Amino acid sequence: MSSAPDPAVVPRPEAQDPRRGAKQPPPEDDYVAELGASESGGGVVAPVLASADVPETSKWEVWSWYAYYIGANGLGLFNFGPTAFQNLLSQAAPEDTGLLRFAGRDRNVNSIVLLTNGISFALQAALFIIIGSYADFGSGRRWILVFWSVVSFGVGFAWLGVHDPSRWEAGVGLYIIGLICYQLTLTYWTAAFPSLARNTPHLKEAAQAFAEGEMSQADYDRLDEMERSRLSNVAFCVQSVGEVVILAIIVGILFGVNVTASTEANNWGLSVLIAFATAVWLVLSIPWFLLEKKRPGLKIPPGKNIITVGFWQLKEALAKIWHLKQSLIYLVGYFLLGDSLNTTVTVIATLQNEVVAYDTLTLTYLLIVGIVAQAIGIAAYWWLQKRYNISAKMMFNVVMVGIILLDGWGMIGNWTDNFGFKHVWEIWLYQAFYGLFVCQWYSYSQIIISSVTPRGHEFLFFSLFTIIGKTSSFIGPFVSSAIIDASPSHNNNSAPFYFLFALTLVSAIGLFLFLDLDKSAREQEAFLAEEKARVAGADSD
């Protein structure tokens, strides 16, 4: 199923006071307003996203943003790419041992997939620290998105030349680069979200009313939150519907290339699907590249540049979070639970591919079931929360139970061959279960991040959670790969679930018992009061 945007890369700053934009702005494109001060005295500077000087969001601009997400659905580089890679590995491995020489030792197919997955996430973490600041600072985000999109298109079309088992090593490169490109494009696409929401005509009118004293801060904040929620939810729904349509077309393509005729035809069919999904992405990305309006990002603090400011962001967030106990608790829990879920999904995907024997038609039908269940699940959770006024923390607890059950399901496979993602019927059930009960992680983990972040420090804290998310994503695959390698015959693909179940259970219990959002709100109030007093003292000196 498609990858939802990493929740940690969705900046959700609270509504900024539009009255701060009333003064005459300088002519530069990066007109900004200060929101606070750092420990070292440098300003934490954010754009006036609701300022009259920032271009208004048009209907066509919003729909072009939606269209990009339909194209960047993950079918090519995130779904079929990994399947094609694992398929080539399984055919290249000798039948008697099932092992291939990779990274200095003989490994089984699933171990290689997990190891390369970990390498990919490690490179993503490094790249995000180095160039991730482009998503927040200055106005170069759009060009970074164009660059990584073009590289993604090249990787997608390159799969047309890699469909023979003898070229599995080339598949390693395409797999790693493809995952990196896909995640980076999602990061920079998502970075446009707050500015789009805050510059819609509806919210600009609200900002004007607030500036003139006709609307309270609380009412303005509620409108701001609802507008961001509207754009986010519609984007997800539009993407889901569009993805189902694309998959329906893909089914026709599969029959056209007759993938059931032979193993070679199935290999070729996977490469064709990746190329087709890439072509759709390319076409649907063009409107956003042309229609996105130039809007200001954060202003780079004095003495920093676009490279060093990323490290500065990380240092600032780490320094501040130690004063917020509840924020720190969630950071640790997010690190552990995010690592467990990311690795769990990867391990199950490798088992799924083996169970259905890499049959491209079956994998496509499974994706359709998963995406439909995903849309139903997220809509149902939102309806229940709204209908019964359930807290975000309670909804998050329910999601954690779903993740625990998922890992427990896989762990049972160590004791029996009758259960544990070892049968086709289980794979169908998994797709439905994940969509209905687990994928809500991407929504509610984001809500909790925004709940433990003090006002005016959203960019710093979301940068921290983004880096933590990327870091955790490569540790789990490395550990799971080592567990498989250390198992008897180096071939127990269910063994990682011992580690994953324990990791999920410990982190979920910790968050359930110790994370208190009411305490977090009080801690944030005290923290902001202390910071305000410190800044006032520094100004008086």
Side-chain angles (χ1 to χ4, degrees), residues 151-163:
V151 177
S152 298
F153 303 152
V155 172
F157 291 127
W159 275 105
L160 289 172
V162 182
H163 52 86

Side-chain angles (χ1 to χ4, degrees), residues 347-410:
V347 172
I348 295 176
T350 61
L351 296 173
Q352 170 184 277
N353 291 333
E354 291 181 344
V355 169
V356 302
Y358 307 96
D359 182 84
T360 313
L361 266 174
T362 301
L363 289 169
T364 303
Y365 293 143
L366 285 168
L367 278 172
I368 293 175
V369 171
I371 293 164
V372 172
Q374 176 179 280
I376 294 172
I378 290 179
Y381 270 52
W382 168 239
W383 181 84
L384 287 170
Q385 182 183 8
K386 187 176 181 181
R387 175 69 175 79
Y388 297 103
N389 196 29
I390 303 173
S391 70
K393 173 67 187 310
M394 180 59 67
M395 299 302 294
F396 184 71
N397 290 342
V398 175
V399 175
M400 290 194 295
V401 171
I403 302 174
I404 293 171
L405 292 176
L406 196 62
D407 283 315
W409 183 351

Side-chain angles (χ1 to χ4, degrees), residues 8-325:
V9 304
V10 185
R12 294 176 61 89
E14 298 297 325
Q16 301 168 35
D17 188 341
R19 286 173 289 191
R20 295 186 181 181
K23 59 185 178 182
Q24 183 64 31
E28 290 82 8
D29 290 327
D30 58 344
Y31 171 55
V32 296
E34 292 192 11
L35 287 182
S38 68
E39 300 274 357
S40 59
V44 179
V45 187
V48 182
L49 297 175
S51 168
D53 303 276
V54 180
E56 183 174 280
T57 301
S58 69
K59 178 180 68 175
W60 290 112
E61 187 181 17
V62 170
W63 277 98
S64 69
W65 185 71
Y66 294 157
Y68 185 94
Y69 191 30
I70 296 174
N73 51 54
L75 288 177
L77 302 183
F78 190 80
N79 293 116
F80 289 118
T83 300
F85 171 52
Q86 186 181 348
N87 181 42
L88 295 182
L89 290 176
S90 66
Q91 293 176 30
E95 292 186 10
D96 56 340
T97 65
L99 304 178
L100 285 171
R101 193 73 178 176
F102 182 76
R105 63 172 298 176
D106 291 335
R107 305 174 188 272
N108 87 334
V109 171
N110 289 26
S111 175
I112 294 174
V113 172
L114 286 166
L115 187 58
T116 51
N117 197 62
I119 292 171
S120 172
F121 278 113
L123 292 173
Q124 287 176 43
L127 281 171
F128 192 84
I129 293 174
I130 296 171
I131 67 172
S133 54
Y134 278 97
D136 287 344
F137 292 88
S139 56
R141 184 196 67 248
R142 61 187 302 181
W143 299 113
I144 299 296
L145 177 62
V146 171
F147 172 80
W148 286 109
S149 297
V150 171
V151 177
S152 298
F153 303 152
V155 172
F157 291 127
W159 275 105
L160 289 172
V162 182
H163 52 86
D164 187 272
S166 64
R167 305 206 64 189
W168 69 269
E169 290 174 316
V172 172
L174 292 180
Y175 175 70
I176 292 175
I177 298 173
L179 287 182
I180 292 172
C181 292
Y182 175 66
Q183 294 294 343
L184 286 173
T185 55
L186 280 186
T187 296
Y188 289 104
W189 171 82
T190 306
F193 169 63
S195 186
L196 279 179
R198 289 195 170 91
N199 288 287
T200 56
H202 173 63
L203 211 57
K204 281 217 166 193
E205 291 176 4
Q208 183 62 32
F210 175 47
E212 295 174 357
E214 300 174 0
M215 180 179 293
S216 68
Q217 176 76 58
D219 288 341
Y220 181 77
D221 285 350
R222 277 194 294 271
L223 285 175
D224 175 82
E225 183 179 30
M226 287 302 296
E227 190 68 10
R228 286 184 280 119
S229 297
R230 182 183 70 84
L231 283 184
S232 178
N233 291 329
V234 171
F236 195 95
C237 291
V238 168
Q239 193 260 8
S240 297
V241 172
E243 192 170 354
V244 171
V245 172
I246 294 169
L247 284 168
I249 297 173
I250 282 176
V251 171
I253 293 174
L254 292 176
F255 281 109
V257 299
N258 197 17
V259 293
T260 58
S262 65
T263 300
E264 290 74 18
N266 189 67
N267 293 353
W268 174 242
L270 280 170
S271 292
V272 169
L273 294 192
I274 297 171
F276 171 74
T278 301
V280 172
W281 185 3
L282 189 158
V283 171
L284 292 178
S285 68
I286 293 174
W288 176 240
F289 294 157
L290 296 177
L291 297 178
E292 182 188 9
K293 297 176 182 177
K294 189 175 182 181
R295 295 185 176 89
L298 293 172
K299 185 177 181 180
I300 299 175
K304 308 294 188 301
N305 57 51
I306 198 64
I307 300 298
T308 61
V309 74
F311 295 94
W312 173 80
Q313 269 192 314
L314 179 59
K315 178 184 175 183
E316 285 287 295
L318 285 172
K320 293 178 185 301
I321 201 168
W322 289 104
H323 301 282
L324 300 161
K325 181 180 177 181

